[in-house]
Amino acid sequence: MVNLDGKTVILTGASSGIGAALAVALSQRAARLTLAARRLERLRAVAQKCSGEVCVLSADLTREDDRKQVVGQTLDRWGRVDILVNNAGLGIYGDFLSASEADWRRIFEVNLFAMVFMTREVLPHMQSQGSGIVVNMASIGGLIAHSDKVTPYAASKHAVVGFSRGLAKDLAGTPVRVLAVCPHLTDTEFFTASPGAQEMAPVIEPYRSFMDSPEDVARGILDQLDSERLIVFPTAKPAKAFEKQRDI
Ligand SMILES: NC(=O)c1ccc[n+]([C@@H]2O[C@H](COP(=O)([O-])OP(=O)(O)OC[C@H]3O[C@@H](n4cnc5c(N)ncnc54)[C@H](OP(=O)(O)O)[C@@H]3O)[C@@H](O)[C@H]2O)c1
């Protein structure tokens, strides 16, 4: 298990769901945290549940200035970044033809490009300090077609897995490691916040009791931070789903 005591972590999408649960779990293990998302009040509420040193920053990770501010303020305060958790993301639900070009571009901006450019911003510092872990939040939908009517989301999360694979290959033999986390359905605001949520609600509701909790997912991620494998299944459910459907 990775010792997180005093480690500096940038965690995106920390204002709700898996990110909020990760923030609390990281702080319980004495990590120093920069929490970033757009909703400052929600970030402050999460920070209140955390023990130890926490910095909250309102940031739209699709904006270059905001990304630079998150990384710059973390370095100004603590002088290093040990772990970058690229967790911010959104979904979209609906028929393929119902998603506009703007919808497609938006989901790739948030789910892929924000992650790619945050990583570009942080990686040189990890390389010069001689250690680091980049944790990219993918999804079971980044490995298999886990549902219908989620084509842009599945495409963006497959791209996250592809980005993580390529980066891991480039960084092989260096002290910076890359993980691609693939949760299954997790009980968060994701299903109400994402475009198409109204149409998705009656479809998703029967699965509510099957969903993992964000706390279980957070625990599963932290327990596997030292994984030698690229793909991390935070709980048993995505691992089982992958075994069952991997040939589809
Ligand atoms: N829930 C699931 O079933 C599930 C399954 C597999 C993977 N995932 C992935 O897990 C990650 C977290 O999702 P969640 O389930 O915890 O959903 P959530 O509760 O809706 O959290 C999404 C987070 O992303 C942030 N975010 C969205 N757009 C942003 C932007 N432009 N700039 C900065 N932050 C932004 C949101 O904060 P603000 O709105 O405050 O900006 C929020 O903190 C996502 O990448 C999601 O794809 C979720």
Side-chain angles (χ1 to χ4, degrees):
M1 200 176 282
V2 171
N3 178 7
L4 293 166
D5 196 347
K7 294 284 191 309
T8 300
V9 182
I10 295 178
L11 170 58
T12 72
S15 59
S16 62
I18 297 170
L22 263 175
V24 173
L26 282 159
S27 80
Q28 284 166 350
R29 289 173 55 180
R32 302 184 295 199
L33 301 175
T34 295
L35 306 181
R38 290 164 303 178
R39 292 170 295 172
L40 189 57
E41 285 312 312
R42 293 288 298 266
L43 286 175
R44 287 191 177 129
V46 172
Q48 284 197 329
K49 294 186 195 157
C50 296
S51 45
E53 292 179 80
V54 186
C55 167
V56 297
L57 291 173
S58 172
D60 179 341
L61 278 315
T62 64
R63 297 166 60 102
E64 183 182 7
D65 288 353
D66 288 15
R67 292 191 296 267
K68 283 189 184 300
Q69 194 203 22
V70 169
V71 178
Q73 291 213 17
T74 304
L75 291 169
D76 287 349
R77 184 158 174 174
W78 290 304
R80 56 188 293 123
V81 181
D82 296 294
I83 303 174
L84 168 64
V85 185
N86 285 310
N87 166 71
L90 87 159
I92 180 167
Y93 186 82
D95 287 329
F96 168 64
L97 290 178
S98 70
S100 65
E101 180 173 338
D103 290 332
W104 274 90
R105 292 192 186 281
R106 178 76 192 153
I107 201 159
F108 271 75
E109 281 295 340
V110 178
N111 290 2
L112 181 69
F113 294 129
M115 167 183 292
V116 168
F117 299 134
M118 275 300 285
T119 304
R120 281 200 69 181
E121 207 59 46
V122 167
L123 188 59
H125 302 285
M126 289 181 165
Q127 287 174 322
S128 65
Q129 77 202 13
S131 65
I133 309 175
V134 177
V135 181
N136 293 331
M137 188 59 73
S139 165
I140 186 65
L143 299 170
I144 59 173
H146 66 305
S147 163
D148 55 0
K149 297 195 177 187
V150 292
T151 302
Y153 179 74
S156 74
K157 292 298 184 176
H158 274 69
V160 168
V161 172
F163 163 59
S164 306
R165 276 194 211 289
L167 185 65
K169 191 108 179 152
D170 281 359
L171 296 176
T174 81
V176 180
R177 289 186 300 113
V178 183
L179 303 176
V181 178
C182 295
H184 207 297
L185 294 176
T186 308
D187 195 0
T188 70
E189 292 172 23
F190 182 83
F191 302 101
T192 46
S194 298
Q198 258 187 328
E199 189 188 342
M200 179 166 47
V203 180
I204 208 70
E205 216 37 55
Y207 293 98
R208 203 49 86 171
S209 60
F210 167 86
M211 291 184 186
D212 284 317
S213 73
E215 290 75 20
D216 284 343
V217 172
R219 196 173 316 113
I221 294 168
L222 296 197
D223 287 351
Q224 296 177 73
L225 275 182
D226 56 357
S227 173
E228 296 289 316
R229 305 181 67 161
L230 175 81
I231 302 293
V232 166
F233 294 119
T235 68
K237 282 175 190 156
K240 271 190 205 150
F242 183 59
E243 274 314 307
K244 216 165 137 189
Q245 296 179 56
R246 63 195 303 176
D247 293 333
I248 292 174

